[in-house]
Amino acid sequence: MALLRKINQVLLFLLVLTLCGILYKKVRKGAVLKNEADDDSESPEDVEEEIPVVICAAAGRMGAAMAAINSIYSNTDANIVFYVVGLRNTLSRIRQWIEHSKLKEINFKIVEFNPIVLKGKIRPDSSRPELLQPLNFVRFYLPLLVHQHEKVIYLDDDVIVQGDIQELYDTTLALGHAAAFSDDCDLPSAQDIHRLVGLQNTYMGYLDYRKKSIKELGISPSTCSFNPGVIVANMTEWKHQRITKQLEKWMQKNVEENLYSSSLGGGVATSPMLIVFHGKYSTINPLWHIRHLVSVRCMNLYSFGCPIPGTGITGN
């Protein structure tokens, strides 16, 4: 009887030992699988950064905007998210243009721009009414349209990008600068080009230096201008410096004092930016924004009505 009791005790011990071994293996296997899963998951540093690109799509320029978007999408492997901005009556058309073309694969968001924000800030001008269209001023309101990004690219709808947009996005902005632009005088041939097409490349061509408010700025009329058709913007600095409010202030002053107009070279959207950003912007590699030339990374088609490659679309 005593022998049988001992045998039972030994068997019970072995059973408990076996169960402990099985439980240990299961726990260890689960821990290994968890570690492997953790190793396979991407850390925040490994997640590919989104590059936000803002482009306007006006009713009469939908094709040009799509050609610009296509040129970006076709020349990069970067993770682009397009913010396509339009007025309320064009939003459904924008979606149709994208979803019924090869652009249906892009990552995009359609954003409505409400022109009510411009009320009382635009001086009526009959000579070039197209320059008064609300979407021309979208670049003034970037933080209202794009919320979750620190850095944003804005492009006019009349550009064709022929390089990797990642390079433009990697533009370094100096400390305290809310934006980067391409100077109109950066390239050796710039002055010859501007003389050829009758454009201005200094502040004299954009501001009325006969007006007291302009004189009091203390900006030399021969200062080289920049082109806000391509912008790399820092949203934190933009909001901190209240750039939008500053731009609106000069828009309102223009309504009251006629400080600039479409009769001057730059129309009505460039001039406020020249004032607000004077001496406080970083520069974009000039090869990223050469106007009126072909075979460059980014070409502006506005003045010559050049055909957009592969589309048959013509710029204004």
Side-chain angles (χ1 to χ4, degrees):
M1 196 70 177
L3 180 61
L4 184 60
R5 189 181 299 114
K6 287 184 179 179
I7 292 174
N8 287 337
Q9 289 174 345
V10 170
L11 291 175
L12 180 61
F13 174 76
L14 291 175
L15 178 61
V16 171
L17 188 64
T18 301
L19 289 174
C20 288
I22 293 172
L23 288 173
Y24 174 77
K25 288 181 180 180
K26 286 187 176 182
V27 170
R28 180 173 175 77
K29 182 178 181 181
V32 170
L33 290 175
K34 183 177 185 300
N35 289 335
E36 289 178 352
D38 290 342
D39 291 341
D40 290 340
S41 64
E42 291 182 318
S43 65
E45 292 78 10
D46 295 332
V47 176
E48 187 178 9
E49 183 178 11
E50 283 186 337
I51 297 179
V53 177
V54 177
I55 294 182
C56 295
R61 299 184 55 81
M62 205 73 70
M66 297 305 136
I69 291 171
N70 182 58
S71 72
I72 297 168
Y73 182 64
S74 301
N75 286 290
T76 187
D77 293 322
N79 183 18
I80 310 295
V81 54
F82 292 96
Y83 287 80
V84 188
V85 184
L87 302 181
R88 176 172 295 180
N89 61 352
T90 64
L91 301 184
S92 60
R93 287 184 58 202
I94 293 172
R95 185 172 298 279
Q96 289 176 357
W97 270 82
I98 294 174
E99 293 182 347
H100 293 83
S101 71
K102 68 177 183 178
L103 294 177
K104 62 187 177 183
E105 303 297 330
I106 69 172
N107 182 11
F108 71 97
K109 298 179 182 180
I110 297 176
V111 182
E112 178 186 350
F113 181 68
N114 190 341
I116 193 67
V117 298
L118 301 173
K119 186 176 180 180
K121 302 181 182 73
I122 301 178
R123 185 183 183 87
D125 191 333
S126 60
S127 59
R128 293 188 67 187
E130 73 276 8
L131 296 178
L132 306 181
Q133 296 301 313
L135 294 182
N136 283 339
F137 302 93
V138 161
R139 71 200 85 192
F140 292 9
Y141 297 93
L142 293 178
L144 300 182
L145 303 171
V146 182
H147 304 289
Q148 67 267 40
H149 298 282
E150 169 73 9
K151 198 174 187 182
V152 173
I153 293 175
Y154 168 87
L155 297 177
D156 276 346
D157 65 0
D158 55 3
V159 301
I160 293 296
V161 176
Q162 296 183 327
D164 189 341
I165 199 75
Q166 179 75 57
E167 297 175 20
L168 178 60
Y169 184 75
D170 290 340
T171 297
T172 300
L173 275 67
L175 186 66
H177 285 178
F181 308 96
S182 176
D183 282 330
D184 284 333
C185 306
D186 268 348
L187 292 175
S189 59
Q191 292 185 358
D192 293 336
I193 295 168
H194 282 283
R195 281 196 296 268
L196 174 65
V197 298
L199 294 177
Q200 299 291 336
N201 64 346
T202 66
Y203 274 56
M204 175 67 81
Y206 295 88
L207 305 176
D208 189 345
Y209 274 83
R210 297 170 299 179
K211 302 299 173 65
K212 181 181 177 182
S213 295
I214 300 301
K215 291 179 180 178
E216 290 178 345
L217 289 171
I219 302 174
S220 169
S222 62
T223 301
C224 183
S225 56
F226 58 80
N227 190 314
V230 176
I231 305 172
V232 180
N234 180 314
M235 293 292 93
T236 298
E237 281 296 332
W238 192 292
K239 289 182 281 191
H240 176 70
Q241 298 179 31
R242 297 171 62 86
I243 296 296
T244 297
K245 289 295 183 184
Q246 292 188 58
L247 292 167
E248 289 183 328
K249 166 193 162 185
W250 283 101
M251 293 170 73
Q252 290 169 332
K253 285 180 74 70
N254 183 59
V255 171
E256 299 164 2
E257 304 176 35
N258 194 21
L259 304 177
Y260 52 85
S261 72
S262 62
S263 61
L264 296 173
V268 294
T270 299
S271 302
M273 301 197 82
L274 291 177
I275 295 171
V276 170
F277 284 101
H278 175 254
K280 295 182 291 186
Y281 67 91
S282 298
T283 54
I284 293 171
N285 183 330
L287 291 179
W288 268 106
H289 195 189
I290 302 178
R291 296 186 287 171
H292 315 294
L293 293 177
V294 293
S295 300
V296 294
R297 288 177 180 168
C298 184
M299 63 183 179
N300 184 313
L301 305 177
Y302 187 84
S303 293
F304 285 156
C306 304
I308 298 173
T311 65
I313 301 168
T314 302
N316 284 353

